[in-house]
Amino acid sequence: MDGPSSGPPPLPRRLGAADLPHETVALARALIGKSLIHDLPDGPVGVRIVETEAYPAGDAAGHAFIGQTRRNSPLFHDFGRVYVYLGYGTSWLINIASESHGIGAGVLFRAGEPVWGIEAMMRRRGKGRLIDLASGPGKLCQALDVDKRHDGGDFFGGGHVWLGEAVRPPGEIGVSIRIGITKDADRPLRFYERASPFVSGPKKLSP
DNA sequence: CGGCTGATGATCT
DNA sequence: GATCATCAGCCGG
């Protein structure tokens, strides 16, 4: 049979709103190493979060900067709301609302280390190697089967998309500028696990 | 690996 | 009609 360490770890305990900092930048950092899981009919798929970006209130790069609109309204609702939108007509991106009601801010989930349901995630991604399975916000959503259906949901409301404890503590956390933006582009608001091969972006940003 | 480009569609003015 | 919090594919080094 297989060796003693084969197979995914058991699913972690669900995190609640009280388990995480209610401040955008601190939240982005605290999420590194935690688990992001989607319960699907055929079983859970999930990753260990290795990269996030903070979009604080008043940040010109953030979707909330222009004020509340139909699309970005989840960012203005309670801490822990799910904000999913379509980027470039091709990719879904998932965020968590990171401040209290009325304040528009969020954290973007950018990359994950595949942990649960790896076979299912690879099928959803079509081709590609494990290293490319969730190494970017669009790839992450495709692997996890996250899309518009989840927009407006609640990470802490007992739903199918949820956050869990870390199955392994994060290593050293690096900080860099954010990827793919032009406004407020020099702010150090991207967080990533330095030792992880599963992060996105140019290597220069993840030394 | 870094750099470039086309595809693609919802959103907002 | 412009603007993207992207990706895959292709090219050169």
Side-chain angles (χ1 to χ4, degrees):
Chain A
M1 284 298 291
D2 288 343
S5 64
S6 68
L11 288 176
R13 180 181 72 83
R14 281 189 184 238
L15 293 176
D19 296 317
L20 293 163
H22 289 219
E23 188 281 319
T24 303
V25 180
L27 176 64
R29 177 184 282 273
L31 285 171
I32 302 298
K34 302 298 192 298
S35 305
L36 174 60
I37 294 165
H38 185 187
D39 289 322
L40 291 169
D42 292 330
V45 290
V47 302
R48 179 172 171 272
I49 300 161
V50 298
E51 182 183 346
T52 61
E53 281 176 356
Y55 289 86
D59 174 46
H63 283 195
F65 185 68
I66 60 173
Q68 186 168 349
T69 66
R70 173 133 119 240
R71 177 175 71 159
N72 69 20
S73 66
L75 292 177
F76 289 83
H77 286 86
D78 295 333
F79 181 86
R81 294 302 275 268
V82 180
Y83 172 47
V84 178
Y85 72 93
L86 186 64
Y88 296 94
T90 58
S91 308
W92 297 103
L93 286 79
I94 185 169
N95 305 253
I96 179 172
S98 53
E99 300 282 344
S100 48
H101 187 89
I103 301 177
V107 172
L108 170 68
F109 295 94
R110 278 201 64 93
E113 170 185 340
V115 176
W116 298 275
I118 292 177
E119 290 300 317
M121 290 193 286
M122 290 192 74
R123 276 196 300 277
R124 282 198 52 74
R125 288 274 298 136
K127 52 185 168 187
R129 303 162 305 175
L130 190 64
I131 209 75
D132 300 318
L133 190 54
S135 60
K139 301 175 194 177
L140 176 65
C141 283
Q142 187 182 19
L144 293 177
D145 198 11
V146 164
D147 58 34
K148 187 72 179 172
R149 304 191 308 270
H150 306 99
D151 186 43
D154 183 352
F155 279 105
F156 308 122
H160 295 291
V161 177
W162 52 281
L163 295 168
E165 284 180 331
V167 290
R168 171 163 46 92
E172 184 189 355
I173 294 174
V175 185
S176 82
I177 62 169
R178 295 168 293 181
I179 294 174
I181 59 167
T182 55
K183 299 174 243 175
D184 273 344
D186 295 330
R187 303 183 68 183
L189 295 175
R190 169 177 174 264
F191 299 90
Y192 63 97
E193 183 180 45
R194 265 204 154 121
S196 178
F198 299 99
V199 299
S200 75
K203 206 163 191 180
K204 183 177 180 77
L205 286 185
S206 305

